[in-house]
Amino acid sequence: MLKITNVKTILTAPGGIDLVVVKVETNHDGLYGLGCATFTQRIFAVAAAINDYIKPFLLGKDPRRIEDLWQSAIVSGYWRNGPVINNAVSAMDMALWDIKGKMANMPVYELLGGKCRDGIPLYRHCDGGDAIAAEDNIRAAIEEGYQYVRCQMGMYGGAGTEDLKLINTHYDKAKNIHPKRSPRNKTSGIYFDPDAYARSIPKFFEHLRNKIGFDVEFIHDIHERVQPISALQMAKSLEEYRLFYLEDPVAPENVDFLNIMRQQTSTPIAMGELFVHLAEYKQLITQHLIDFIRCHISMIGGITPAKKLAALCELHGVRTAWHGPGDISPVGVVANMHIDLSISNFGIQEYTPMNDELREVFSGCPAIEQGYAYLNVKPGLGIDIDEQKAKKFPVAGGLPSWTNARTPDGTAARP
C-alpha cells in the first residue's frame, strides 16, 4: 500500500528572500513530491504549522487521495483558513499533485485537463524612481519580448524611500516633492504621501502613453494605499490610457466600494492578492465587480482550491492573474503555471526573474523566451530541489521594512 512516510520542511533563501518548501516522501523508493508554503513575513510560524500539525496529520496516509486530504486538513484545526495554516496545507497539496503526476508519468497540467495554450504570457515589473526611469525600464522589457508590464514610480502603490524623500510625482525630474513630516515623529522607515501619489499617476501614464504608445499593455498596482474615493478618481482619470488592469484599488475591508467603482469607471479591476478564503472572492466574481482575480495560490491552500476558483471565474467572465512575486519559491511558480496552461480563462501571469542561485538550487525552473514561460514535460510539477545546496542559503526571518510604511504625520499606512 502506498503511504506517506515523512514530511520535510526546507527553509532557504537563494534569491535573498526567505522561502519555505516542503518535501512529502512515500514508501515507494524515490517517489516524493514538493510543495510551496512560502509566507515570507512569517516563515517560522508556517514551518511550525507544518512540522507540528500537517506532518502528523499526513504520516501513514495515502497520497493519492488529494481531495480528501485537502478537505480534512483544512478543517483539522476547526478554525479554518488564514495565511499560516493555508500555506502549510498548500505545501501538502502541491506535493500531492507532484506525486500524482509522477505516478501517472504526466505533467500536472495534463492531470488538470491538458494544455489550453503553448506558452504562458508574462508581465514584468518595470518600475522607476520617476516616469523617465520607468520608461527606460519598459523599453528594455519590450526589447526582451514582453508586451505586458507593471508600471510604478517607487515602491508599491507609489513612492517612498528610507531617507524620507518622496519619489518624483511628475515626469519632470525637477519637481521632487518632500513630505512635510511631523517634526515630533522620530520613527524611522519608509514614508508615503497618499494624496501626492494619487495626483501623480495620471501624469505618469500620460507621459508613458505619449512616449511609448498603446502597443504595450500597462498594469498599475495601487496596493490598497489610498482611500476608496481616491481610487475611484484615479480609475476614472486613467480610462483614456487604457490599462490592462488597475490592481487592488481598495483594501480587503473596503471591497463593498467596488460596487460604486463598477458603476462609474470602465478601467478594468484586479483584486484579491490579500485574500485567504475562497469566500472572499465569491461576491466579487459572481456580481461581475472585477475583471481579473489576483490570488497568491499558497495563501488559499494550493492547486486544489485554485483550480476551483478559476472555474468559478470562467463562468462569470473573470480572468486569472496569479500572484508571482519574489517571495514565492520556484515550486510555487511552476504550480501557478501548471494551472495557467490548463484553464481557458487565463489572463496573465506575474513573473519575477530568478537569479542563478535560485536556478542552481531548484532544477527544472521554467524557460523564459520573448515574454513567455514554458514548462518542461517532466512528470509531476517538473521541478526538484537540491537540499544540500539549499543549506548554503540560510533564511533571515526578519520583518520587512516595506510593510511598516507611514504617512508624513506618522500614521501607519497600508503596505
Side-chain angles (χ1 to χ4, degrees):
M1 175 183 173
L2 181 64
K3 63 181 180 179
I4 295 168
T5 57
N6 193 23
V7 177
K8 300 172 69 174
T9 305
I10 304 166
L11 305 182
T12 186
I17 299 176
D18 294 344
L19 306 175
V20 185
V21 175
V22 167
K23 186 176 186 179
V24 176
E25 300 176 334
T26 74
N27 61 341
H28 282 209
D29 188 36
L31 180 60
Y32 61 86
L34 298 179
C36 180
T38 300
F39 178 12
T40 301
Q41 295 81 4
R42 297 291 186 271
I43 59 163
F44 299 129
V46 174
I50 295 165
N51 295 332
D52 296 340
Y53 300 105
I54 296 300
K55 179 177 180 177
F57 168 83
L58 282 177
L59 291 179
K61 290 189 169 67
D62 186 341
R64 293 170 293 189
R65 300 183 62 167
I66 299 176
E67 181 71 22
D68 177 64
L69 288 173
W70 192 92
Q71 294 290 350
S72 51
I74 205 68
V75 300
S76 64
Y78 183 53
W79 280 278
R80 46 196 180 270
N81 295 290
V84 173
I85 191 60
N86 279 5
N87 270 279
V89 172
S90 164
M92 173 199 80
D93 181 75
M94 292 181 188
L96 297 181
W97 279 105
D98 193 18
I99 291 170
K100 180 82 79 171
K102 290 173 180 175
M103 293 181 67
N105 197 31
M106 292 180 178
V108 167
Y109 63 74
E110 295 287 4
L111 302 182
L112 297 176
K115 283 186 177 182
C116 287
R117 56 196 46 82
D118 296 317
I120 301 164
L122 308 173
Y123 80 79
R124 283 280 303 276
H125 292 197
C126 293
D127 310 340
D130 54 46
I132 295 174
E135 177 193 343
D136 291 341
N137 291 332
I138 293 168
R139 292 188 185 280
I142 292 173
E143 286 295 315
E144 295 179 30
Y146 289 90
Q147 289 299 305
Y148 300 82
V149 295
R150 192 195 78 161
C151 313
Q152 311 284 137
M153 285 194 292
M155 61 181 289
Y156 290 117
T161 62
E162 295 292 339
D163 66 358
L164 311 182
K165 183 178 76 174
L166 189 68
I167 298 294
N168 296 13
T169 59
H170 194 276
Y171 61 85
D172 183 349
K173 287 189 174 182
K175 295 184 179 179
N176 285 334
I177 295 178
H178 298 256
K180 295 182 178 179
R181 185 166 60 102
S182 168
R184 294 189 180 184
N185 183 7
K186 305 301 181 183
T187 306
S188 61
I190 295 172
Y191 279 75
F192 173 75
D193 187 333
D195 296 326
Y197 154 65
R199 292 192 301 269
S200 77
I201 296 306
K203 285 288 186 182
F204 177 46
F205 281 98
E206 178 185 28
H207 171 85
L208 294 181
R209 285 304 191 199
N210 285 339
K211 295 293 184 178
I212 295 175
F214 286 80
D215 290 335
V216 61
E217 298 284 1
F218 288 158
I219 292 167
H220 183 70
D221 187 1
I222 291 181
H223 226 262
E224 321 95 36
R225 300 197 68 161
V226 300
Q227 292 300 311
I229 191 64
S230 294
L232 173 57
Q233 291 169 342
M234 286 177 60
K236 293 175 71 172
S237 68
L238 292 171
E239 287 179 357
E240 62 183 297
Y241 306 118
R242 300 187 64 81
L243 297 189
F244 190 66
Y245 63 68
L246 185 65
E247 181 181 342
D248 284 355
V250 297
E253 55 268 28
N254 298 135
V255 292
D256 54 334
F257 193 80
L258 292 176
N259 288 281
I260 298 173
M261 288 194 69
R262 194 50 129 190
Q263 296 171 24
Q264 297 194 38
T265 180
S266 62
T267 295
I269 300 297
M271 189 74 198
E273 181 178 316
L274 288 179
F275 294 172
V276 295
H277 194 306
L278 293 184
E280 293 181 88
Y281 300 91
K282 185 165 63 174
Q283 180 180 355
L284 304 185
I285 295 167
T286 59
Q287 295 189 11
H288 305 282
L289 299 180
I290 58 175
D291 303 281
F292 294 86
I293 193 82
R294 285 287 285 160
C295 176
H296 192 111
I297 288 178
S298 69
M299 291 291 174
I300 64 167
I303 293 172
T304 294
K307 181 69 174 177
K308 296 173 183 178
L309 184 62
L312 178 65
C313 289
E314 180 186 357
L315 292 174
H316 294 86
V318 175
R319 289 181 281 176
T320 62
W322 306 130
H323 194 213
D327 49 338
I328 177 174
S329 76
V331 177
V333 170
V334 298
N336 284 355
M337 292 180 178
H338 278 273
I339 302 174
D340 292 337
L341 279 179
S342 64
I343 56 176
S344 62
N345 60 318
F346 166 80
I348 192 66
Q349 177 62 59
E350 179 180 15
Y351 178 71
T352 303
M354 300 179 190
N355 64 9
D356 292 339
E357 288 78 11
L358 275 167
R359 291 184 176 271
E360 180 183 357
V361 171
F362 294 91
S363 59
C365 293
I368 310 300
E369 300 176 16
Q370 292 294 304
Y372 286 82
Y374 297 91
L375 295 175
N376 61 55
V377 295
K378 295 178 182 177
L381 292 175
I383 195 163
D384 208 346
I385 185 170
D386 187 318
E387 295 182 56
Q388 293 305 310
K389 290 180 180 178
K391 292 178 181 178
K392 298 179 181 179
F393 303 96
V395 299
L399 293 175
S401 62
W402 69 269
T403 62
N404 290 278
R406 293 183 178 272
T407 59
D409 67 0
T411 302
R414 296 187 182 102

